[in-house]
Amino acid sequence: MATLEDSFLADLDDLSDNEAEVDESDGDDGKDKEDIDMDMADLETLNYDDLDSVSKLQKSQRYLDIMQKVEEALGKDSDGAEKGTVLEDDPEYKLIVDCNQLSVDIENEIAIVHNFIRDKYRLKFQELESLVNHPIDYARVVKKIGNETDLTRVDLEGLLPSAIIMVVSVTALTTKGSPLPEEVLQKTLEACDRALDLDSARKKVLDFVESKMGSIAPNLSAIVGSAVAAKLMGTAGGLSALAKMPACNVQVLGQKRKNLAGFSSATSQSRVGYLDQTEIFQSTPPALRMRAGRILAAKSTLAARVDATRGDPSGTNGKALREEIRKKIEKWQEPPPARQPKPLPVPDSEPKKRRGGRRLRKMKERYAVTDMRKLANRMAFGTPEESSLGDGLGEGYGMLGQAGSNRLRISSVPSKLKINPTIAKKLKERNYAGGATTSGLTSSLAFTPVQGIELCNPQQALGLGSGTQSTYFSESGTFSKLKKI
């Protein structure tokens, strides 16, 4: 059994081993830092004046071997599509795969050379790089202009569109650049020649791949054509890489950044790459081309996946997909169907269920329009209505009060909402009892058309005369004596 001291010693040994491992890992980190420093040094070489230190692809053995094989294959003019399916073990298929990878490397090399040209020529014409975005067009324009200060002497027809040529000419008059030294100009022109050579080599590779596309990707070629299929494969880095790519990325493969020089971008196809060169896209009306580009990218991705797995070497699937795209585009162009007349529904002959009864009748009578309101809402033809303020001002009364007896004609139909007879009798007696009282506002002055204003007895007007009607307080009355019998 180990003692306590032995266990402590064992722990110390473990700690020493861990420290040694940490030291070794620190040494590896130091090596990684050295590698990073070397990479940074390689990036800094891009700013050197020597073009050979920047562009090394054309002098590599791999580039020379592949280009030699491509030129030999193009010289033989063999139809690989008619020979049948190309197998993966076939050296011709391996050459096609190498050509796809080489085309991607050439694109990267052209970008590096373009940066070199742009950095050198910026001293002469700084605004040119924002006016001409495509690397090959930029190299051709730089080679054509050179150190010329007056662009009216330089013929740029065929290199750029007329609108861009006009903008470049106007901008050159106001540029702050100065002519390049002879040595710098010579390096810039050599870089332009190298970019043009790389572009021609890339075209040769794409021509070779295009000639073999019928056997490599028959379904993709059936949809977009051999030329566009070769460009898609070359840009994506091979058929397998194209099959793994989503349709939204396939749609923008080969997209060029266009400078519209201030013109409207409404009609410019800014989100379509090589697919705009297909026959289907060009035959589609401009209003539907964006939709056609999306469906072309989707179906091309499906066809590339079929070709990558060698699912249909005959290309039948691609032809079916092409026919489906064509039918969809034709369906989009059809006018909308005419609106059919909609007949009215057959009326229901059965009586509808409606609520009725004593309660509903009472509610209708309670909220029904009264006769007074009916007369107020009605007007007689040719008879002016009376109003509350007179002369047609205020609220009009309509035919109210225009009947024969100058009062509202009451309907003879007995109302079902009558007051209790006992309550009506009490109200009537109360009215009669209070009718004999004299109002405190009664005046003793009377207005007559003959005498004008005269004094009168208000009680006489109410029928309360002297004599028999006022025995106790009569002025002529006397006490009567009753004789005893």
Side-chain angles (χ1 to χ4, degrees):
M1 182 176 181
T3 61
L4 185 60
E5 295 177 357
D6 296 336
S7 62
F8 280 141
L9 291 174
D11 293 339
L12 290 174
D13 293 337
D14 294 337
L15 289 173
S16 62
D17 295 338
N18 292 334
E19 290 177 357
E21 292 176 359
V22 171
D23 294 337
E24 292 177 359
S25 63
D26 291 341
D28 295 337
D29 292 340
K31 293 180 180 178
D32 294 338
K33 291 179 181 179
E34 292 178 359
D35 294 339
I36 294 174
D37 293 338
M38 291 297 294
D39 294 337
M40 294 298 295
D42 293 338
L43 292 174
E44 290 177 356
T45 57
L46 296 177
N47 297 325
Y48 287 171
D49 294 336
D50 189 9
L51 182 61
D52 294 333
S53 62
V54 177
S55 176
K56 302 177 181 180
L57 180 63
Q58 286 182 310
K59 294 184 179 180
S60 62
Q61 188 64 31
R62 169 173 166 268
Y63 174 85
L64 298 175
D65 293 341
I66 293 176
M67 291 306 300
Q68 183 179 0
K69 293 179 181 179
V70 167
E71 291 178 358
E72 291 177 357
L74 290 175
K76 292 180 181 178
D77 196 13
S78 60
D79 296 333
E82 298 179 357
K83 294 180 181 178
T85 304
V86 177
L87 301 177
E88 294 183 359
D89 297 335
D90 193 353
E92 191 176 32
Y93 181 79
K94 294 181 179 179
L95 178 60
I96 293 172
V97 174
D98 293 337
C99 288
N100 289 327
Q101 296 177 356
L102 182 62
S103 63
V104 177
D105 296 338
I106 291 175
E107 288 286 345
N108 298 332
E109 194 74 10
I110 290 175
I112 293 174
V113 176
H114 172 64
N115 291 332
F116 182 86
I117 300 171
R118 186 181 58 186
D119 293 339
K120 297 299 180 183
Y121 204 71
R122 189 176 294 170
L123 301 175
K124 169 67 172 61
F125 196 174
Q126 184 178 2
E127 296 82 3
L128 184 62
E129 59 184 276
S130 61
L131 299 176
V132 182
N133 297 313
H134 196 264
I136 303 302
D137 294 341
Y138 184 82
R140 289 172 180 170
V141 171
V142 169
K143 186 177 180 181
K144 191 75 173 180
I145 296 176
N147 253 347
E148 186 65 40
T149 56
D150 188 8
L151 291 188
T152 57
R153 302 177 182 179
V154 180
D155 186 15
L156 297 178
E157 291 291 337
L159 300 179
L160 296 174
S162 57
I164 304 298
I165 293 175
M166 181 180 63
V167 175
V168 170
S169 302
V170 173
T171 309
L173 299 176
T174 60
T175 185
K176 298 180 181 179
S178 57
L180 297 177
E182 189 65 27
E183 183 180 358
V184 178
L185 178 62
Q186 189 66 26
K187 291 181 179 180
T188 305
L189 296 179
E190 290 178 1
C192 294
D193 293 335
R194 185 168 297 188
L196 296 177
D197 292 341
L198 288 171
D199 183 61
S200 62
R202 183 178 62 87
K203 289 181 179 179
K204 286 183 181 179
V205 171
L206 291 178
D207 291 341
F208 169 71
V209 176
E210 180 183 349
S211 64
K212 306 296 180 181
M213 285 306 296
S215 57
I216 300 173
N219 296 284
L220 182 61
S221 301
I223 296 177
V224 298
S226 300
V228 178
K231 293 178 181 179
L232 291 176
M233 284 182 56
T235 307
L239 183 59
S240 59
L242 182 63
K244 296 176 183 178
M245 192 175 294
C248 58
N249 294 350
V250 174
Q251 183 181 354
V252 297
L253 282 179
Q255 176 186 359
K256 294 181 181 180
R257 184 180 176 185
K258 297 180 181 179
N259 187 3
L260 301 176
F263 292 96
S264 174
S265 60
T267 58
S268 63
Q269 304 293 338
S270 59
R271 295 185 180 180
V272 182
Y274 292 131
L275 294 179
D276 63 350
Q277 303 175 10
T278 58
E279 186 267 336
I280 296 178
F281 188 89
Q282 294 295 330
S283 61
T284 305
L288 301 174
R289 285 185 178 180
M290 290 303 299
R291 297 176 64 184
R294 286 193 291 269
I295 192 173
L296 269 174
K299 300 303 181 182
S300 299
T301 305
L302 295 178
R305 291 169 184 173
V306 173
D307 293 332
T309 57
R310 314 305 300 174
D312 186 13
S314 62
T316 307
N317 197 354
K319 295 177 182 177
L321 292 175
R322 179 185 176 88
E323 187 67 19
E324 181 181 352
I325 296 171
R326 187 185 61 80
K327 288 182 179 180
K328 282 189 176 182
I329 296 177
E330 290 180 356
K331 187 70 176 177
W332 295 343
Q333 301 179 41
E334 290 181 359
R339 188 173 182 179
Q340 299 295 333
K342 185 177 181 180
L344 294 174
V346 179
D348 297 333
S349 59
E350 299 179 358
K352 296 182 179 180
K353 296 181 180 180
R354 295 178 179 176
R355 182 180 177 86
R358 179 173 172 272
R359 186 184 303 175
L360 183 64
R361 288 194 300 273
K362 284 188 176 182
M363 185 189 69
K364 287 184 178 180
E365 290 178 2
R366 188 179 298 115
Y367 294 102
V369 181
T370 61
D371 294 338
M372 181 182 293
R373 176 55 59 186
K374 289 181 180 178
L375 288 175
N377 293 338
R378 191 178 302 165
M379 292 183 63
F381 180 77
T383 304
E385 65 173 354
E386 296 182 3
S387 58
S388 59
L389 300 179
D391 297 333
L393 301 176
E395 183 180 359
Y397 294 149
M399 293 184 63
L400 190 62
Q402 295 183 7
S405 59
N406 290 333
R407 61 181 180 179
L408 181 64
R409 181 179 297 175
I410 302 175
S411 177
S412 62
V413 180
S415 176
K416 295 181 180 179
L417 297 177
K418 289 184 178 180
I419 306 176
N420 194 354
T422 306
I423 299 174
K425 185 177 181 181
K426 290 182 179 180
L427 291 175
K428 188 174 182 180
E429 291 177 354
R430 186 182 303 173
N431 291 334
Y432 286 152
T437 60
T438 307
S439 174
L441 299 177
T442 306
S443 176
S444 300
L445 299 176
F447 297 90
T448 59
V450 179
Q451 297 180 358
I453 301 175
E454 65 177 1
L455 293 173
C456 66
N457 187 2
Q459 293 181 356
Q460 187 177 0
L462 294 174
L464 299 178
S466 60
T468 58
Q469 295 181 359
S470 180
T471 306
Y472 295 101
F473 303 100
S474 175
E475 297 178 355
S476 61
T478 60
F479 292 101
S480 58
K481 295 180 180 180
L482 298 177
K483 294 180 180 181
K484 294 182 180 180
I485 302 173

